[in-house]
Amino acid sequence: MEKHVVVIYPHPDDESFGAAGSMAKFRSEGIPVTYLCGTLGQMGRNMGNPTFANRETLPEIRKSELIKACDALDVDLQMLGYRDKTIEFENRTEIAERLKGILEEIGPTLVITHYPDYAVHPDHNALGAAAIEAVRLMEPSERPTVWAQAISNDYELELGSPDIITDVNEFFGKKLEAILSHDSQVAGMFGKFKMLDELDEEERREIVANFGKERFYIWQFDK
Amino acid sequence: MKPIEINHIQGLLDQFVNKDIYIHLETTNGAYASHFDDKAYNVGAYIRNANVIYEQAKIVGDGKSYRVGLKTGLGWIYAEGLSDWTMHEEQLLLAGHDREGRLMVALEISEKPFHN
C-alpha cells in the first residue's frame, strides 16, 4: 500500500484525462495524493465552445478550473509556476533539483508522470524527463516508484504492454467530474464528455474503454 | 470576444500609432496536430512582449476574416485570420478561432507589458 502519491504533469487537465481514476482510487483507500501542476496552460488553444476565454484571461480561468478538479478528486495541489509550452526550453537540471526538493519534503512512495519522448506534447516530455531525473538524483534507497504514462500513437509498439493497467470504471464518475471541471478545455473531441448520456451506445463504450483504463510503465532506473 | 467591426478596430489601432507598445503575436495548430492526423505538421510561432513602435496600422478584410499590418521603423508585423476582438485592461486583443472555438491566431497590443 502506498503512503503518499505525487502526480507530476504540466497542464491543468492532464491529471483529469490522464490519471484521475487512479488518483480517486488512491484517495478512496485513504492515501494522500498531491498534484504538482507545471503550468497554468496559458497557451492553450481551447477557449471554450462557444468561446468565453481569451489569451489574457485564460490563465486565471484555467487556474480556477484546476482548483475545482483537485477539489473534486480531493487531492492537494501545488502549482509550479512555469509557462505553458516553454518547459522544454528551461534548464532541465534546475527543474529536476527543484522537484527533488519537493519530493523529499513530501516523501511519496509513488510518483506518476509522463513517459519522456512518448507523451506527444513537448511540455509532457520535458516535465516527465525532469521528474524522472529528480527521482534518479535521490538516494536509491529513498527513491519512490515511478509510473510513467505514454500517450503517443506508437507507444505500445515500441515499449510493449504497460506494466500497470488500472481499471478505473468504479471511479469513472469522479474522473468525469474532474474532466468537466476543465470547462474551457472540454470542447472539440472532448466535448463528448459533456453529453455522455446522449451518445449512442457504441460511442459511449469507446470513450469508457479509452478513459476507463489508465496505463503506466514502471520506470527502470537501473536500465 | 466580439466579431470584428473594421472601422472601430482601425480607430483602436490608430490610437497606438507612434507609442512605445508591447506586442503579443502567435499562431499555432496545436501540439497534438500530428498526433491526431499523421499527415499534419505541428506548426506554431509565438512572441510575447516584443517592444516596438509602429508608425502606421491598417486592418483589411472581407467581413469575416481580417488581416492587420503594422509598419515599424525598420519592418513589419502582420497577422492573418483575425475575426474577434476585445479590450482587456486597456490591451487590444485580436484573435481568430476555428469552429470548435480553438485559437488559431492572436495579435495583441498594449502600452504595458503583458503578464508573464
Side-chain angles (χ1 to χ4, degrees):
Chain A
M1 177 131 157
E2 305 297 342
K3 282 208 185 97
H4 197 136
V5 177
V6 172
V7 178
I8 307 176
Y9 289 141
H11 309 119
D13 79 3
D14 288 336
E15 81 299 335
S16 295
F17 288 113
S22 301
M23 292 162 94
K25 186 165 184 284
F26 286 125
R27 289 303 296 127
S28 77
E29 295 161 4
I31 299 162
V33 176
T34 302
Y35 179 33
L36 307 183
C37 185
T39 78
L40 290 179
Q42 295 92 334
M43 292 298 288
R45 298 171 68 218
N46 289 309
M47 296 290 167
N49 188 16
T51 60
F52 59 83
N54 64 52
R55 177 52 78 236
E56 299 308 317
T57 59
L58 191 65
E60 280 304 312
I61 290 170
R62 293 199 69 177
K63 186 175 169 180
S64 58
E65 291 170 348
L66 170 65
I67 292 168
K68 199 173 158 196
C70 288
D71 284 347
L73 295 171
D74 188 30
V75 303
D76 286 329
L77 169 66
Q78 281 191 40
M79 289 174 269
L80 299 176
Y82 296 105
R83 190 171 174 88
D84 193 11
K85 281 200 164 180
T86 66
I87 296 179
E88 63 179 332
F89 307 118
E90 295 274 3
N91 181 319
R92 170 134 342 138
T93 311
E94 269 176 36
I95 301 180
E97 289 285 355
R98 184 174 166 212
L99 291 175
K100 176 173 171 266
I102 299 171
L103 292 177
E104 281 169 346
E105 216 165 279
I106 297 174
T109 49
L110 174 66
V111 168
I112 298 178
T113 192
H114 283 122
Y115 199 120
D117 299 334
Y118 293 92
V120 180
H121 193 297
D123 283 341
H124 296 175
N125 288 329
L127 193 61
I132 288 166
E133 182 60 17
V135 177
R136 189 195 307 278
L137 291 169
M138 296 169 83
E139 281 297 313
S141 60
E142 313 263 299
R143 281 180 195 152
T145 303
V146 174
W147 288 1
Q149 184 171 50
I151 50 182
S152 65
N153 293 322
D154 62 356
Y155 75 83
E156 220 158 349
L157 214 64
E158 302 216 353
L159 303 174
S161 296
D163 302 306
I164 307 284
I165 300 175
T166 309
D167 188 327
V168 297
N169 271 302
E170 195 187 329
F171 303 96
F172 202 78
K174 271 271 180 240
K175 179 161 179 162
L176 194 59
E177 191 186 342
I179 287 173
L180 294 178
S181 302
H182 298 283
D183 194 30
S184 66
Q185 302 306 298
V186 187
M189 66 166 291
F190 295 130
K192 288 181 177 165
F193 284 102
K194 272 189 179 172
M195 32 172 243
L196 212 53
D197 292 335
E198 298 157 32
L199 296 177
D200 66 54
E201 195 49 38
E202 194 181 335
E203 217 170 4
R204 194 186 149 85
R205 241 198 323 263
E206 198 185 309
I207 286 185
V208 173
N210 279 339
F211 290 89
K213 285 205 173 69
E214 292 174 359
R215 302 166 175 86
F216 307 94
Y217 293 87
I218 298 173
W219 194 263
Q220 302 298 329
F221 282 95
D222 45 13
K223 246 189 340 200
Chain B
M1 301 183 98
K2 301 179 284 285
I4 284 176
E5 198 277 296
I6 192 165
N7 293 328
H8 186 61
I9 299 303
Q10 182 65 57
L12 292 173
L13 291 170
D14 288 340
Q15 286 180 14
F16 291 102
V17 166
N18 288 328
K19 287 184 176 162
D20 190 26
I21 52 127
Y22 297 87
I23 295 275
H24 170 102
L25 176 65
E26 69 171 290
T27 182
T28 178
N29 63 353
Y32 298 98
S34 59
H35 177 65
F36 293 128
D37 173 5
D38 61 10
K39 291 188 186 70
Y41 297 93
N42 288 355
V43 293
Y46 143 68
I47 183 165
R48 190 159 177 88
N49 285 325
N51 187 201
V52 300
I53 294 171
Y54 64 79
E55 55 202 33
Q56 172 184 317
K58 193 165 178 184
I59 178 165
V60 180
D62 60 6
K64 270 196 272 180
S65 170
Y66 297 86
R67 299 178 294 283
V68 167
L70 309 174
K71 188 174 193 178
T72 65
L74 292 171
W76 287 89
I77 291 166
Y78 164 99
E80 176 164 22
L82 302 166
S83 54
D84 303 290
W85 77 282
T86 192
M87 288 299 292
H88 173 73
E89 297 173 0
E90 299 176 351
Q91 300 167 333
L92 172 60
L93 313 186
L94 300 164
H97 302 89
D98 68 9
R99 257 171 241 106
E100 268 98 44
R102 287 177 301 210
L103 186 139
M104 296 188 295
V105 58
L107 172 64
E108 306 180 351
I109 302 168
S110 170
E111 286 186 53
K112 283 182 292 188
F114 292 96
H115 295 301
N116 238 328

PDB file of all heavy atoms in Angstrom, chain B residues 77-102:
ATOM      1  N   ILE B  77       4.939  43.993 -38.889  1.00  0.00           N
ATOM      2  CA  ILE B  77       4.311  42.942 -38.077  1.00  0.00           C
ATOM      3  C   ILE B  77       2.953  42.698 -38.727  1.00  0.00           C
ATOM      4  O   ILE B  77       2.256  43.645 -39.101  1.00  0.00           O
ATOM      5  CB  ILE B  77       4.142  43.400 -36.619  1.00  0.00           C
ATOM      6  CG1 ILE B  77       5.518  43.517 -35.963  1.00  0.00           C
ATOM      7  CG2 ILE B  77       3.249  42.431 -35.841  1.00  0.00           C
ATOM      8  CD1 ILE B  77       5.512  44.268 -34.651  1.00  0.00           C
ATOM      9  N   TYR B  78       2.578  41.433 -38.850  1.00  0.00           N
ATOM     10  CA  TYR B  78       1.417  41.096 -39.670  1.00  0.00           C
ATOM     11  C   TYR B  78       0.688  39.886 -39.084  1.00  0.00           C
ATOM     12  O   TYR B  78       1.323  38.959 -38.579  1.00  0.00           O
ATOM     13  CB  TYR B  78       1.960  40.791 -41.071  1.00  0.00           C
ATOM     14  CG  TYR B  78       1.062  40.081 -42.018  1.00  0.00           C
ATOM     15  CD1 TYR B  78       0.364  40.788 -42.972  1.00  0.00           C
ATOM     16  CD2 TYR B  78       0.944  38.697 -41.983  1.00  0.00           C
ATOM     17  CE1 TYR B  78      -0.450  40.132 -43.879  1.00  0.00           C
ATOM     18  CE2 TYR B  78       0.137  38.034 -42.871  1.00  0.00           C
ATOM     19  CZ  TYR B  78      -0.552  38.755 -43.836  1.00  0.00           C
ATOM     20  OH  TYR B  78      -1.352  38.103 -44.722  1.00  0.00           O
ATOM     21  N   ALA B  79      -0.621  39.903 -39.119  1.00  0.00           N
ATOM     22  CA  ALA B  79      -1.397  38.719 -38.703  1.00  0.00           C
ATOM     23  C   ALA B  79      -2.576  38.532 -39.644  1.00  0.00           C
ATOM     24  O   ALA B  79      -3.215  39.505 -40.057  1.00  0.00           O
ATOM     25  CB  ALA B  79      -1.898  38.884 -37.270  1.00  0.00           C
ATOM     26  N   GLU B  80      -2.876  37.278 -39.959  1.00  0.00           N
ATOM     27  CA  GLU B  80      -3.992  36.954 -40.854  1.00  0.00           C
ATOM     28  C   GLU B  80      -4.964  36.006 -40.152  1.00  0.00           C
ATOM     29  O   GLU B  80      -4.552  35.208 -39.316  1.00  0.00           O
ATOM     30  CB  GLU B  80      -3.453  36.276 -42.126  1.00  0.00           C
ATOM     31  CG  GLU B  80      -4.554  35.816 -43.063  1.00  0.00           C
ATOM     32  CD  GLU B  80      -4.069  35.497 -44.463  1.00  0.00           C
ATOM     33  OE1 GLU B  80      -2.870  35.227 -44.625  1.00  0.00           O
ATOM     34  OE2 GLU B  80      -4.907  35.512 -45.381  1.00  0.00           O
ATOM     35  N   GLY B  81      -6.230  36.121 -40.496  1.00  0.00           N
ATOM     36  CA  GLY B  81      -7.228  35.193 -39.960  1.00  0.00           C
ATOM     37  C   GLY B  81      -7.896  35.701 -38.698  1.00  0.00           C
ATOM     38  O   GLY B  81      -8.525  34.940 -37.957  1.00  0.00           O
ATOM     39  N   LEU B  82      -7.790  37.002 -38.447  1.00  0.00           N
ATOM     40  CA  LEU B  82      -8.396  37.586 -37.239  1.00  0.00           C
ATOM     41  C   LEU B  82      -9.892  37.769 -37.457  1.00  0.00           C
ATOM     42  O   LEU B  82     -10.326  38.217 -38.518  1.00  0.00           O
ATOM     43  CB  LEU B  82      -7.728  38.935 -36.929  1.00  0.00           C
ATOM     44  CG  LEU B  82      -6.205  38.871 -36.727  1.00  0.00           C
ATOM     45  CD1 LEU B  82      -5.593  40.264 -36.765  1.00  0.00           C
ATOM     46  CD2 LEU B  82      -5.892  38.188 -35.402  1.00  0.00           C
ATOM     47  N   SER B  83     -10.673  37.416 -36.460  1.00  0.00           N
ATOM     48  CA  SER B  83     -12.127  37.544 -36.600  1.00  0.00           C
ATOM     49  C   SER B  83     -12.792  38.155 -35.371  1.00  0.00           C
ATOM     50  O   SER B  83     -13.907  38.646 -35.459  1.00  0.00           O
ATOM     51  CB  SER B  83     -12.745  36.170 -36.872  1.00  0.00           C
ATOM     52  OG  SER B  83     -12.343  35.256 -35.870  1.00  0.00           O
ATOM     53  N   ASP B  84     -12.125  38.100 -34.227  1.00  0.00           N
ATOM     54  CA  ASP B  84     -12.745  38.554 -32.982  1.00  0.00           C
ATOM     55  C   ASP B  84     -11.856  39.554 -32.256  1.00  0.00           C
ATOM     56  O   ASP B  84     -10.649  39.560 -32.424  1.00  0.00           O
ATOM     57  CB  ASP B  84     -12.999  37.363 -32.053  1.00  0.00           C
ATOM     58  CG  ASP B  84     -13.847  36.304 -32.708  1.00  0.00           C
ATOM     59  OD1 ASP B  84     -15.041  36.560 -32.913  1.00  0.00           O
ATOM     60  OD2 ASP B  84     -13.297  35.243 -33.048  1.00  0.00           O
ATOM     61  N   TRP B  85     -12.481  40.362 -31.424  1.00  0.00           N
ATOM     62  CA  TRP B  85     -11.685  41.342 -30.686  1.00  0.00           C
ATOM     63  C   TRP B  85     -12.302  41.594 -29.315  1.00  0.00           C
ATOM     64  O   TRP B  85     -13.484  41.328 -29.073  1.00  0.00           O
ATOM     65  CB  TRP B  85     -11.622  42.667 -31.457  1.00  0.00           C
ATOM     66  CG  TRP B  85     -12.899  43.462 -31.322  1.00  0.00           C
ATOM     67  CD1 TRP B  85     -14.072  43.240 -31.995  1.00  0.00           C
ATOM     68  CD2 TRP B  85     -13.134  44.569 -30.457  1.00  0.00           C
ATOM     69  NE1 TRP B  85     -15.028  44.135 -31.597  1.00  0.00           N
ATOM     70  CE2 TRP B  85     -14.482  44.972 -30.655  1.00  0.00           C
ATOM     71  CE3 TRP B  85     -12.348  45.266 -29.533  1.00  0.00           C
ATOM     72  CZ2 TRP B  85     -15.059  46.038 -29.951  1.00  0.00           C
ATOM     73  CZ3 TRP B  85     -12.927  46.329 -28.842  1.00  0.00           C
ATOM     74  CH2 TRP B  85     -14.263  46.703 -29.061  1.00  0.00           C
ATOM     75  N   THR B  86     -11.471  42.112 -28.409  1.00  0.00           N
ATOM     76  CA  THR B  86     -11.964  42.654 -27.150  1.00  0.00           C
ATOM     77  C   THR B  86     -10.900  43.585 -26.586  1.00  0.00           C
ATOM     78  O   THR B  86      -9.732  43.516 -26.978  1.00  0.00           O
ATOM     79  CB  THR B  86     -12.301  41.536 -26.131  1.00  0.00           C
ATOM     80  OG1 THR B  86     -13.043  42.105 -25.044  1.00  0.00           O
ATOM     81  CG2 THR B  86     -11.052  40.888 -25.562  1.00  0.00           C
ATOM     82  N   MET B  87     -11.324  44.487 -25.693  1.00  0.00           N
ATOM     83  CA  MET B  87     -10.356  45.251 -24.913  1.00  0.00           C
ATOM     84  C   MET B  87     -10.266  44.587 -23.548  1.00  0.00           C
ATOM     85  O   MET B  87     -11.279  44.336 -22.911  1.00  0.00           O
ATOM     86  CB  MET B  87     -10.810  46.710 -24.737  1.00  0.00           C
ATOM     87  CG  MET B  87     -10.726  47.568 -25.985  1.00  0.00           C
ATOM     88  SD  MET B  87      -9.054  47.759 -26.690  1.00  0.00           S
ATOM     89  CE  MET B  87      -8.237  48.737 -25.441  1.00  0.00           C
ATOM     90  N   HIS B  88      -9.025  44.294 -23.122  1.00  0.00           N
ATOM     91  CA  HIS B  88      -8.833  43.661 -21.820  1.00  0.00           C
ATOM     92  C   HIS B  88      -7.806  44.487 -21.064  1.00  0.00           C
ATOM     93  O   HIS B  88      -6.646  44.549 -21.481  1.00  0.00           O
ATOM     94  CB  HIS B  88      -8.339  42.217 -22.006  1.00  0.00           C
ATOM     95  CG  HIS B  88      -7.950  41.538 -20.729  1.00  0.00           C
ATOM     96  ND1 HIS B  88      -8.880  41.120 -19.802  1.00  0.00           N
ATOM     97  CD2 HIS B  88      -6.728  41.236 -20.214  1.00  0.00           C
ATOM     98  CE1 HIS B  88      -8.245  40.574 -18.783  1.00  0.00           C
ATOM     99  NE2 HIS B  88      -6.944  40.641 -19.000  1.00  0.00           N
ATOM    100  N   GLU B  89      -8.222  45.172 -20.009  1.00  0.00           N
ATOM    101  CA  GLU B  89      -7.314  46.043 -19.245  1.00  0.00           C
ATOM    102  C   GLU B  89      -6.525  46.974 -20.168  1.00  0.00           C
ATOM    103  O   GLU B  89      -5.306  47.015 -20.133  1.00  0.00           O
ATOM    104  CB  GLU B  89      -6.351  45.190 -18.399  1.00  0.00           C
ATOM    105  CG  GLU B  89      -7.055  44.350 -17.347  1.00  0.00           C
ATOM    106  CD  GLU B  89      -6.084  43.396 -16.633  1.00  0.00           C
ATOM    107  OE1 GLU B  89      -4.893  43.399 -16.966  1.00  0.00           O
ATOM    108  OE2 GLU B  89      -6.558  42.662 -15.730  1.00  0.00           O
ATOM    109  N   GLU B  90      -7.224  47.685 -21.030  1.00  0.00           N
ATOM    110  CA  GLU B  90      -6.622  48.648 -21.972  1.00  0.00           C
ATOM    111  C   GLU B  90      -5.697  48.000 -22.985  1.00  0.00           C
ATOM    112  O   GLU B  90      -4.894  48.673 -23.633  1.00  0.00           O
ATOM    113  CB  GLU B  90      -5.885  49.768 -21.213  1.00  0.00           C
ATOM    114  CG  GLU B  90      -6.833  50.563 -20.325  1.00  0.00           C
ATOM    115  CD  GLU B  90      -6.123  51.626 -19.493  1.00  0.00           C
ATOM    116  OE1 GLU B  90      -4.880  51.634 -19.473  1.00  0.00           O
ATOM    117  OE2 GLU B  90      -6.825  52.441 -18.887  1.00  0.00           O
ATOM    118  N   GLN B  91      -5.765  46.673 -23.096  1.00  0.00           N
ATOM    119  CA  GLN B  91      -5.000  45.965 -24.122  1.00  0.00           C
ATOM    120  C   GLN B  91      -5.959  45.585 -25.242  1.00  0.00           C
ATOM    121  O   GLN B  91      -7.051  45.072 -24.974  1.00  0.00           O
ATOM    122  CB  GLN B  91      -4.369  44.701 -23.517  1.00  0.00           C
ATOM    123  CG  GLN B  91      -3.411  45.012 -22.367  1.00  0.00           C
ATOM    124  CD  GLN B  91      -3.030  43.777 -21.568  1.00  0.00           C
ATOM    125  OE1 GLN B  91      -3.788  42.810 -21.504  1.00  0.00           O
ATOM    126  NE2 GLN B  91      -1.864  43.814 -20.950  1.00  0.00           N
ATOM    127  N   LEU B  92      -5.544  45.822 -26.467  1.00  0.00           N
ATOM    128  CA  LEU B  92      -6.367  45.429 -27.612  1.00  0.00           C
ATOM    129  C   LEU B  92      -6.034  43.983 -27.985  1.00  0.00           C
ATOM    130  O   LEU B  92      -4.899  43.678 -28.352  1.00  0.00           O
ATOM    131  CB  LEU B  92      -6.102  46.363 -28.804  1.00  0.00           C
ATOM    132  CG  LEU B  92      -6.759  45.956 -30.133  1.00  0.00           C
ATOM    133  CD1 LEU B  92      -8.282  45.879 -30.022  1.00  0.00           C
ATOM    134  CD2 LEU B  92      -6.333  46.907 -31.252  1.00  0.00           C
ATOM    135  N   LEU B  93      -7.010  43.099 -27.855  1.00  0.00           N
ATOM    136  CA  LEU B  93      -6.804  41.682 -28.193  1.00  0.00           C
ATOM    137  C   LEU B  93      -7.555  41.369 -29.481  1.00  0.00           C
ATOM    138  O   LEU B  93      -8.764  41.603 -29.574  1.00  0.00           O
ATOM    139  CB  LEU B  93      -7.323  40.759 -27.075  1.00  0.00           C
ATOM    140  CG  LEU B  93      -6.960  41.070 -25.619  1.00  0.00           C
ATOM    141  CD1 LEU B  93      -7.450  39.937 -24.713  1.00  0.00           C
ATOM    142  CD2 LEU B  93      -5.465  41.279 -25.445  1.00  0.00           C
ATOM    143  N   LEU B  94      -6.848  40.841 -30.461  1.00  0.00           N
ATOM    144  CA  LEU B  94      -7.457  40.392 -31.712  1.00  0.00           C
ATOM    145  C   LEU B  94      -7.141  38.912 -31.862  1.00  0.00           C
ATOM    146  O   LEU B  94      -6.033  38.473 -31.564  1.00  0.00           O
ATOM    147  CB  LEU B  94      -6.870  41.164 -32.898  1.00  0.00           C
ATOM    148  CG  LEU B  94      -7.057  42.691 -32.877  1.00  0.00           C
ATOM    149  CD1 LEU B  94      -6.118  43.344 -33.882  1.00  0.00           C
ATOM    150  CD2 LEU B  94      -8.505  43.054 -33.167  1.00  0.00           C
ATOM    151  N   ALA B  95      -8.113  38.122 -32.320  1.00  0.00           N
ATOM    152  CA  ALA B  95      -7.877  36.683 -32.429  1.00  0.00           C
ATOM    153  C   ALA B  95      -8.732  36.084 -33.529  1.00  0.00           C
ATOM    154  O   ALA B  95      -9.758  36.659 -33.922  1.00  0.00           O
ATOM    155  CB  ALA B  95      -8.177  35.987 -31.096  1.00  0.00           C
ATOM    156  N   GLY B  96      -8.295  34.935 -34.013  1.00  0.00           N
ATOM    157  CA  GLY B  96      -9.087  34.130 -34.936  1.00  0.00           C
ATOM    158  C   GLY B  96      -9.247  32.743 -34.355  1.00  0.00           C
ATOM    159  O   GLY B  96      -8.280  32.184 -33.829  1.00  0.00           O
ATOM    160  N   HIS B  97     -10.471  32.208 -34.406  1.00  0.00           N
ATOM    161  CA  HIS B  97     -10.757  30.887 -33.836  1.00  0.00           C
ATOM    162  C   HIS B  97     -11.294  29.955 -34.915  1.00  0.00           C
ATOM    163  O   HIS B  97     -11.870  30.405 -35.901  1.00  0.00           O
ATOM    164  CB  HIS B  97     -11.811  31.000 -32.726  1.00  0.00           C
ATOM    165  CG  HIS B  97     -11.417  31.909 -31.610  1.00  0.00           C
ATOM    166  ND1 HIS B  97     -11.699  33.259 -31.620  1.00  0.00           N
ATOM    167  CD2 HIS B  97     -10.756  31.683 -30.455  1.00  0.00           C
ATOM    168  CE1 HIS B  97     -11.230  33.814 -30.507  1.00  0.00           C
ATOM    169  NE2 HIS B  97     -10.646  32.888 -29.790  1.00  0.00           N
ATOM    170  N   ASP B  98     -11.158  28.652 -34.682  1.00  0.00           N
ATOM    171  CA  ASP B  98     -11.786  27.700 -35.599  1.00  0.00           C
ATOM    172  C   ASP B  98     -13.198  27.383 -35.115  1.00  0.00           C
ATOM    173  O   ASP B  98     -13.680  27.950 -34.136  1.00  0.00           O
ATOM    174  CB  ASP B  98     -10.913  26.443 -35.757  1.00  0.00           C
ATOM    175  CG  ASP B  98     -10.838  25.602 -34.487  1.00  0.00           C
ATOM    176  OD1 ASP B  98     -11.587  25.878 -33.527  1.00  0.00           O
ATOM    177  OD2 ASP B  98     -10.017  24.666 -34.458  1.00  0.00           O
ATOM    178  N   ARG B  99     -13.864  26.461 -35.815  1.00  0.00           N
ATOM    179  CA  ARG B  99     -15.266  26.152 -35.497  1.00  0.00           C
ATOM    180  C   ARG B  99     -15.464  25.683 -34.056  1.00  0.00           C
ATOM    181  O   ARG B  99     -16.504  25.894 -33.472  1.00  0.00           O
ATOM    182  CB  ARG B  99     -15.751  25.041 -36.433  1.00  0.00           C
ATOM    183  CG  ARG B  99     -16.610  25.528 -37.551  1.00  0.00           C
ATOM    184  CD  ARG B  99     -16.866  24.399 -38.546  1.00  0.00           C
ATOM    185  NE  ARG B  99     -16.333  24.770 -39.840  1.00  0.00           N
ATOM    186  CZ  ARG B  99     -15.220  24.271 -40.366  1.00  0.00           C
ATOM    187  NH1 ARG B  99     -14.534  23.346 -39.742  1.00  0.00           N
ATOM    188  NH2 ARG B  99     -14.807  24.675 -41.542  1.00  0.00           N
ATOM    189  N   GLU B 100     -14.449  25.006 -33.510  1.00  0.00           N
ATOM    190  CA  GLU B 100     -14.569  24.487 -32.137  1.00  0.00           C
ATOM    191  C   GLU B 100     -14.162  25.506 -31.084  1.00  0.00           C
ATOM    192  O   GLU B 100     -14.059  25.166 -29.904  1.00  0.00           O
ATOM    193  CB  GLU B 100     -13.725  23.223 -31.978  1.00  0.00           C
ATOM    194  CG  GLU B 100     -14.496  21.943 -32.249  1.00  0.00           C
ATOM    195  CD  GLU B 100     -14.262  21.447 -33.664  1.00  0.00           C
ATOM    196  OE1 GLU B 100     -13.102  21.460 -34.092  1.00  0.00           O
ATOM    197  OE2 GLU B 100     -15.246  21.079 -34.322  1.00  0.00           O
ATOM    198  N   GLY B 101     -13.889  26.738 -31.504  1.00  0.00           N
ATOM    199  CA  GLY B 101     -13.522  27.768 -30.536  1.00  0.00           C
ATOM    200  C   GLY B 101     -12.059  27.754 -30.170  1.00  0.00           C
ATOM    201  O   GLY B 101     -11.653  28.397 -29.207  1.00  0.00           O
ATOM    202  N   ARG B 102     -11.260  27.011 -30.935  1.00  0.00           N
ATOM    203  CA  ARG B 102      -9.821  26.970 -30.637  1.00  0.00           C
ATOM    204  C   ARG B 102      -9.120  28.142 -31.296  1.00  0.00           C
ATOM    205  O   ARG B 102      -9.397  28.470 -32.466  1.00  0.00           O
ATOM    206  CB  ARG B 102      -9.201  25.653 -31.134  1.00  0.00           C
ATOM    207  CG  ARG B 102      -9.597  24.472 -30.285  1.00  0.00           C
ATOM    208  CD  ARG B 102      -9.036  23.202 -30.855  1.00  0.00           C
ATOM    209  NE  ARG B 102      -9.551  23.031 -32.209  1.00  0.00           N
ATOM    210  CZ  ARG B 102      -9.759  21.844 -32.773  1.00  0.00           C
ATOM    211  NH1 ARG B 102      -9.484  20.744 -32.128  1.00  0.00           N
ATOM    212  NH2 ARG B 102     -10.229  21.760 -33.993  1.00  0.00           N
TER     213      ARG B 102
END
